Amino acid sequence: MSSTGEKHSPLEQFEIVPYIHIDSKGIDISFTNSSLAMTITVAVITLFLTFSVNTRSIVPSRLQLLSELSYNFIVQLLKDTVGAEGRKYFPFVFTIFMFVLIGNMVGMVPYSFTFTSHIIVTFALAAIVFIGVTVLGFVKHGLRFFSFFVIPGLPWYMLPLLIPIEVISYLSRPISLSVRLFANMLAGHTLLKVFAGFVVSLGLAGFLPLAFIVALTGLEILIAFLQAYVFAILTCLYINDALHLH
Amino acid sequence: MNNSKKQLENLKEKIDHLQHNKEKKSVPERNSGTGFGFKISTEIVAALIVGVGIGLLVDNYFNTKPFGLIIFFILGAFAGFLNIYRVMRRIEKQKSFNIKH
């Protein structure tokens, strides 16, 4: 998008910059700013979760309360959507939720990089969920899993029409899951930078977009949390579908 | 003894009051219009992408140039509407769940 060598495009923030060039048999696996952001995210999650519950006090400190809150949040989510047998899938859902949430939050820090604003990252996450859930369905139900695509109580002559529709609907899950997260982050961060550009170009009247940016940053943090929540709740719903079929 | 009982009752009243306030606050959901539109549009676009993708693949394999794309595009559109129907049903369910509790 950046034309005529303009270096202040609102889309510049999404550029991938390789820090360490690594080439493995023609495949570029360089350590980029995206990899750095992911590494920071994983490090933050690990440090936060280990150190905050390290004391194991009965009356929790604020940090411990925060990590217990996030733990309970996902436990409750699984209980509400999947039921008691959902406890088994807690590590999976919690990992995905924390990775997306902290990734979004790391992206909110100025000059850092939002890896969730790249479709390949979110699509990889959604593909993990999709493939995992499909495998889970086959393991639990065997070939009976295919009855998931048949709506019960339907006349037989409707089946040839409705089974392809159901299959397409099922296949569209990872795409809608990934596009939603990616588009929200991309749009939000682009909007922030576009308004930041107005601050400079408007001169004295620039305090108006500046005030707007402050409000928008708050909204963006809300969206960062909301999208992680949506990702987690949809994962739970898909697990529920695979376990119970309909 | 009597005093502490009174204090406890006072506390209970306070908690009840706070909980009541909290419930009241959570009823008018911050159901933002853009978020809702986003949800709906991604559902339909995703289904269309899958439909068109399958259609193109079918055309490539079976050499049925326009027909696979046409048929699967239409099926994809139907799947998109099905997705939206499911999302709406989930939202309605949640709403009635919220009102009940």
Side-chain angles (χ1 to χ4, degrees), chain A residues 20-41:
Chain A
I20 306 165
H21 287 276
I22 308 168
D23 211 336
S24 171
K25 290 174 192 157
I27 301 167
D28 189 12
I29 50 165
S30 305
F31 190 84
T32 60
N33 50 357
S34 183
S35 332
L36 183 67
M38 286 185 215
T39 314
I40 291 172
T41 304

Side-chain angles (χ1 to χ4, degrees), chain A:
Chain A
M1 271 301 267
S2 64
S3 55
T4 66
E6 173 76 26
K7 250 326 218 180
H8 300 293
S9 153
L11 294 173
E12 191 201 329
Q13 53 172 327
F14 302 121
E15 226 167 273
I16 297 273
V17 184
Y19 290 143
I20 306 165
H21 287 276
I22 308 168
D23 211 336
S24 171
K25 290 174 192 157
I27 301 167
D28 189 12
I29 50 165
S30 305
F31 190 84
T32 60
N33 50 357
S34 183
S35 332
L36 183 67
M38 286 185 215
T39 314
I40 291 172
T41 304
V42 172
V44 166
I45 294 169
T46 314
L47 291 177
F48 165 61
L49 287 178
T50 41
F51 280 114
S52 59
V53 294
N54 221 2
T55 49
R56 289 196 184 80
S57 47
I58 293 176
V59 179
S61 63
R62 278 185 195 140
L63 263 183
Q64 192 183 339
L65 200 63
L66 210 60
S67 59
E68 281 175 6
L69 211 64
S70 48
Y71 176 90
N72 275 336
F73 183 65
I74 297 298
V75 167
Q76 195 59 41
L77 198 66
L78 268 169
K79 206 189 266 172
D80 287 346
T81 49
V82 185
E85 59 208 296
R87 271 311 277 270
K88 255 189 280 179
Y89 309 102
F90 171 79
F92 178 62
V93 179
F94 189 65
T95 309
I96 289 218
F97 173 71
M98 285 310 265
F99 189 64
V100 174
L101 176 66
I102 305 294
N104 290 346
M105 290 303 176
V106 164
M108 285 309 296
V109 176
Y111 293 103
S112 80
F113 182 84
T114 325
F115 62 78
T116 41
S117 64
H118 281 253
I119 183 104
I120 189 65
V121 176
T122 58
F123 187 73
L125 282 172
I128 292 169
V129 171
F130 178 73
I131 293 169
V133 162
T134 310
V135 168
L136 178 71
F138 275 115
V139 167
K140 281 269 164 187
H141 300 282
L143 286 179
R144 255 187 0 105
F145 178 69
F146 285 114
S147 73
F148 179 68
F149 300 121
V150 182
I151 303 169
L154 213 65
W156 59 269
Y157 48 83
M158 289 295 279
L159 288 183
L161 186 64
L162 276 160
I163 286 177
I165 290 177
E166 283 283 338
V167 171
I168 291 175
S169 166
Y170 187 71
L171 290 177
S172 74
R173 279 172 170 190
I175 295 176
S176 72
L177 193 61
S178 57
V179 165
R180 193 175 305 129
L181 175 61
F182 141 79
N184 265 298
M185 299 323 287
L186 185 83
H189 282 261
T190 310
L191 196 65
L192 273 182
K193 265 64 175 186
V194 167
F195 272 90
F198 289 160
V199 175
V200 183
S201 59
L202 279 182
L204 256 184
F207 74 91
L208 276 173
L210 187 65
F212 193 70
I213 286 176
V214 173
L216 213 58
T217 306
L219 181 77
E220 206 50 41
I221 287 173
L222 176 77
I223 287 177
F225 171 75
L226 220 59
Q227 286 308 312
Y229 169 67
V230 166
F231 211 96
I233 200 172
L234 283 175
T235 307
C236 291
L237 284 175
Y238 295 163
I239 289 173
N240 181 40
D241 275 350
L243 284 181
H244 300 127
L245 302 183
H246 299 296

Side-chain angles (χ1 to χ4, degrees), chain A residues 166 169 172 175 180 237, chain B residues 43 50 78 82-83 86 90:
Chain A
E166 283 283 338
S169 166
S172 74
I175 295 176
R180 193 175 305 129
L237 284 175
Chain B
E43 291 292 347
V50 172
F78 277 124
L82 188 69
N83 282 349
R86 292 216 167 111
R90 206 167 61 225

